[in-house]
Structures are given as structure tokens and as C-alpha cells.
Amino acid sequence: MTDVTLPPRKRSRFFENRAALVLALLAPVLTFFIVFNTIPTLWLIGLSFYNFSLTSGMPPDFVGFRNFFAILSSKNAIWFDLSRTFTFVFAAVTVQTLLGGLLGFLFWGSKDMPGRRVALTLLFAPMVLTPVATGTFFRFIYDPTFGIFNYLSRALFDSGPIDFLGDPSLAFWSVLAVDCWMWTPFMTLMTLAALGSVPTAELEAAEIDRVPMWRRLPLVIWHHGKFIMMLGILLRTIDSFKTLDLIIPMTKGGPGQNTRLVALELNKQAFESFNMGWSSAYAVLLLLISIAMTSVFIFVLNLRRRRESGS
Amino acid sequence: MSRLKEWSYYGLLWLVALIFFAPIAWIVMSSFKTRSDILAIPPKFFFTPTLENYRELFNRSEIFQQIGNSIMLSLGAVIIAVIVSFLAAFCFSRFRPKGTDFLMFLLLSIRMLPGPAVILPVFLMYVAFGWKDSHLWLMLFYAMFSIPFSVWILKGFLDGVSTRFDETGRVNGGSWLHIIFKVVMPQVRPGLIAAFIFNLIFVWNEYLFNFIIGGVNTQNIPYALMVGTYADGGVNWTFISTMTSIYIILPVVFIYLFQKYLLVGMTFGTVRGEV
């Protein structure tokens, strides 16, 4: 299009400047990324081949792949943390999608509700609360002596004190519940967006054709809303995989290792034990997992784009 | 719908919203209680409110520095990030240089990595260069972390602005700078706002990076909440509830005022629309 509308003299100037312009526009971002991301990442990969601890005062010692072998073969380490993390991710995403989806349907068609904006603000507030504050305060809410949950369970079921965060069989699920409280509104938001993307004309057509609701759902609603829902699920999957500052103030990964997710373990090894070589190798493994998840995310996005430009 | 049915439906929705807000309301209520009222068994729903906690909070000398740090770090980082990202997003959207898709992927992947994995090599670098505990370098790191988000949001918006605007500007002899800032930029204002708000909330609530590569001088409120938990042999609940109540005002006001942009912000700009 440019070729048609621009006179020749202009066009040549345009192409001469183009490379310089592209470079000038990208330079700041590239600088930021090379300094704060590329160099550190290369440093990380390099360091993962060394035995290096900040506390020992010894210079880094090249050990090849030994850090990786140590992590992958150790009896009590990464596999347990990973399976715990994926259980966490799976449970969190399932509960949040189902509950959030349900609430999304519930809020669908509330356009004329009095005070809708305030109600939605209240509903979405858990998402923007500082995770550190959330975690700390939920320790109080869960407290076996002073906590309100224990008060309610005593009053309603006459049960003894329940130590939600100290009991090894409960801690994981208590932490999970807080994550669900925090992020179910996000899936509600996504469901509302997905429902909003369904063309009204098709919904009206279904209404006129008297398509029953249970058939309307897969035929009309899911057809249009599935990409937004899938993006929501993917974003939640990736985000809950990273969960860290919500759990630290609640349990610090305990009791035992019951709430120790990969991010917490890495945080502890790197910044409490200062096992830099080992931690770097651990971080490289997490990097590979994250790249895989990002690729899936991008793949789904591209599917959507292709569909949009195709139709 | 009959009137009764309509009102019970709205009542139910309000109930859901209030249930989700209840823990936060409990925090805010606690901030107006005395220490013994907070720890009372059974929990007190009715009590004589006191402002003593707030008075005590603002008597802590370091509190103003911490709040100042929170404001300065988040504002500074996000302003830098949005400007830098806008330029890059314009470039990606209009010129599509080779490797655009790969760069966009690379940008996003940093947001997908658990925090400690991101900060570990940066920590070593900061220690080696003596950049730790410096406002400038912490702000620049936060800016870098806010860039991916902003580029994704802004590219989505820029793709929606017709290239005819650029062409018209070029034909009429406008310089690229004029086109970028005077012609195109005003049209993506919603994108700029969304990028600004959501990165601001992120940096506002960020704890780990501040803890690891910041220090005594640069500590923000999440840092203070994490380390200030214990006092006088117990958990300092008055401090936590009071500080949290003050601290959540800004994000909550933002999601009220900018509800239109909530969806864009929460999904890296990959989903657009209003709720």
C-alpha cells in the first residue's frame, strides 16, 4: 500500500531511514533485555556447571553436569517438589476454572444490576491484594487459637482446634484454598470476557430456534468463547506454577515439606543456603519447563489469530 | 423477569461479591481494633473503633521512607517501561523486523519463570557490580520486568490503529517522530493506561526482587510487611492489618476507576473487551 501512495523520492528516503528507525525504536528495549536478562541468563547457565557456594568462600569449581545429576537423582528433591507443584497447579486451576466459570455465568446478564461496578470491584479485589499481606493475614485467619475459622468450626461443629497450617495433612489444602480465593475472580473475569465474545445475534437465533440451554452451551457459547477460556486456563497454569510470596508468610514450605513448591525450594536453596551452583542448575530446569509452557501459550494464541484472519 | 426474581438474583450476586471481599473487610476491621480486641476469643464483630494503630504506624520513623520507596519505585519503573515499550511495540507493529515473533516470545517467557529463577543471576550480577540496594538499579530492573507486559498490551492496541494514519502523515511530510507521538500515540491511550495501571500494581505488590536485590534503603511496603511481622515476642497483627489497609487503597481504587482495562491488563493484552 505504501508503494502506491508515496511519491518515489519520499519512498527511497523512507527505505533509507527504515533500518535506522527500526534500530532506534528497538534499541532501548534491547539494551534493557541484554543487560538485565540475556547476560544474567547466560551467567545462570554457565554457573549451573559449577560448584559454587557464596558462604564457603571457595572459588567456583567446574563440575560439568554433576549439579543436574545431583538434582535429578536425589531421593527427596525435585521430583517430589515437582509433583507437589503440579498437584497444586492442577487442583488450583480446576477449582478456579469451575468455580470462576460458574460465577461468570452467574454474573452474565447482570448489566443493569444496581452498583454493579462496586460489586465487581469487591469481587476482583483479592487479585490485587499484596500476596505477602494476604499470606500473613491468612495465617491469622487460620490460627488454631485466635482464628475465625476455628471459631466457626467450634461454634458450628463443636470440634477441637484445627491447626490448618500446622497439620501436615491440611496445610497443602489450606494454602490451596487461599490461592483459590485469590484467583477464582480471575477466571470469573475470563468467563465474562468469553461470554461477551459470543455474538448476540447467534444467541438470539438460538433463542428463537428454541435450542435448549444444554445444547446452546457447546454449539454456540463454547464455539466462540473457547479461546479466551483456554488463554485464561493457560495463564492461571503458568501463574500458579510460580506461586511463591503467598506461601512464604503462611508456611515457608512446611510443615515438613508439605507446601514446598519448586519456587519455594529454589528460593530457599539460593537465598538462605546460598548454594549458587546447585540453584542455577535447578533454575535452568525450571527455565525449560517455563519455555515449554510459554510455547503452548503462544501456540494457542496463534491458533486464535489464524482463525480470526481466516474467517 | 419478575421484580422479586430480579432482586433475589442481584442479591445473590452481591452476596458472592461480599463473600470474596470478606477476608479483606476483616483485615480493615482489625486495623481499627486494639491488640486485645484483635486477639479476642470469640472474634469481635462489634467493637469500639480506635485510630490508635494508625497513629502508632505513622510514629514509626521508617514508614514514610518505605511508602516513599513504594511510590517512587513503581512510578519510576512503570513510566520508563511504558515509554520504552511503546517505541518497541510501534516498531513490532509497523515494521515487523525479522525475528519479531521470536522477540515477542522471548519477552513473554521472562514473565513465565518463577521469581527466584529470574532474580538469581541478577542477584549475582548486582553483587558483583555493587548495584545492590540502589534505587536506580532496582528501578531499572523493575522497568525491565514491566516491559514484556507493556509491549504485548501496546502491540495489540497498535495493530488496531490503521496504517493509513502513518501514510497520511508521511505524505504530508510529517517526520516519524511526529507520527509516532502526535498521530499514533493519542489513539492508543487506553493501551497506555492499561499497561501503566497493571505494571504499577505489579511493582506495588512485588516483594521478592525488592528483598533480594534491594536493601535497607530501598525497601518497600511488602518487604516491610514480611520482615516487620514479629514484634514484642509475637506476631504484630496491628501493624500488618493497618499497613495492609492503607496499602490496598491504591490498587482497589484503580480497579474501580479502570475496570474497563482490567481484562486487557490481566491477560498481557491478549484478550480485549469489557466485563
Side-chain angles (χ1 to χ4, degrees), chain A residues 44 48 67-69 71-72 78-79 82 241 278-291, chain B residues 113 117:
Chain A
L44 180 83
S48 65
N67 281 326
F68 291 94
F69 291 136
I71 292 169
L72 294 176
I78 197 165
W79 302 114
L82 272 180
F241 181 71
W278 190 95
S279 307
S280 301
Y282 202 95
V284 168
L285 293 174
L286 295 188
L287 182 68
L288 296 177
I289 297 175
S290 307
I291 287 177
Chain B
L113 199 57

Side-chain angles (χ1 to χ4, degrees), chain B:
Chain B
M1 260 196 280
S2 74
R3 210 159 169 74
L4 179 73
K5 216 169 147 191
E6 196 182 36
W7 281 106
S8 49
Y9 169 58
Y10 291 154
L12 178 69
L13 297 188
W14 263 98
L15 188 69
V16 169
L18 287 175
I19 289 173
F20 270 91
F21 192 71
I24 300 176
W26 192 239
I27 297 178
V28 177
M29 259 166 84
S30 301
S31 74
F32 292 105
K33 290 178 181 174
T34 62
R35 194 179 148 79
S36 56
D37 272 352
I38 291 181
L39 295 179
I41 314 168
K44 282 194 177 174
F45 291 94
F46 301 100
F47 56 93
T48 354
T50 165
L51 285 175
E52 192 49 44
N53 297 332
Y54 287 90
R55 217 167 290 137
E56 200 179 296
L57 183 75
F58 288 112
N59 276 336
R60 291 171 162 236
S61 53
E62 72 277 13
I63 208 75
F64 293 101
Q65 195 206 353
Q66 288 161 345
I67 292 178
N69 281 338
S70 274
I71 294 172
M72 190 178 79
L73 287 172
S74 38
L75 268 184
V78 173
I79 289 172
I80 297 173
V82 169
I83 295 172
V84 165
S85 310
F86 176 74
L87 297 178
F90 185 86
C91 183
F92 286 144
S93 167
R94 289 302 192 265
F95 303 124
R96 294 200 65 81
K98 259 189 206 141
T100 295
D101 287 337
F102 179 68
L103 272 173
M104 294 282 286
F105 170 79
L106 220 58
L107 283 173
L108 201 59
S109 69
I110 190 172
R111 291 303 292 255
M112 309 295 187
L113 199 57
V118 176
I119 202 67
L120 172 69
V122 177
F123 165 74
L124 292 172
M125 183 169 92
Y126 271 45
V127 170
F129 295 155
W131 292 346
K132 238 175 128 299
D133 202 8
S134 134
H135 286 98
L136 176 69
W137 289 106
L138 185 57
M139 194 190 284
L140 288 177
F141 180 78
Y142 274 136
M144 189 283 287
F145 211 75
S146 307
I147 286 173
F149 215 102
S150 316
V151 171
W152 271 78
I153 291 177
L154 287 169
K155 178 165 182 293
F157 276 87
L158 284 165
D159 284 344
V161 177
S162 165
T163 49
R164 284 175 196 230
F165 289 103
D166 311 27
E167 284 152 21
T168 314
R170 291 302 288 169
V171 171
N172 290 324
S175 70
W176 273 111
L177 280 182
H178 176 85
I179 290 166
I180 292 172
F181 289 106
K182 290 279 163 59
V183 180
V184 177
M185 201 171 187
Q187 302 190 54
V188 294
R189 239 190 35 216
L192 294 170
I193 296 174
F196 185 82
I197 300 294
F198 283 89
N199 285 308
L200 195 73
I201 292 178
F202 172 79
V203 182
W204 188 253
N205 287 337
E206 215 291 322
Y207 148 77
L208 182 76
F209 300 159
N210 200 305
F211 185 71
I212 303 293
I213 60 172
V216 184
N217 293 318
T218 59
Q219 55 181 281
N220 62 359
I221 297 295
Y223 184 127
L225 280 171
M226 193 69 123
V227 299
T229 315
Y230 295 94
D232 314 324
V235 179
N236 196 347
W237 297 116
T238 53
F239 168 68
I240 289 161
S241 55
T242 317
M243 194 66 251
T244 310
S245 305
I246 294 176
Y247 207 59
I248 56 168
I249 294 173
L250 180 104
V252 171
V253 166
F254 274 179
I255 57 169
Y256 176 77
L257 291 178
F258 302 102
Q259 213 163 73
K260 273 206 294 201
Y261 309 115
L262 201 60
L263 196 62
V264 181
M266 286 278 166
T267 58
F268 303 116
T270 47
V271 176
R272 276 218 260 153
E274 283 181 36
V275 286

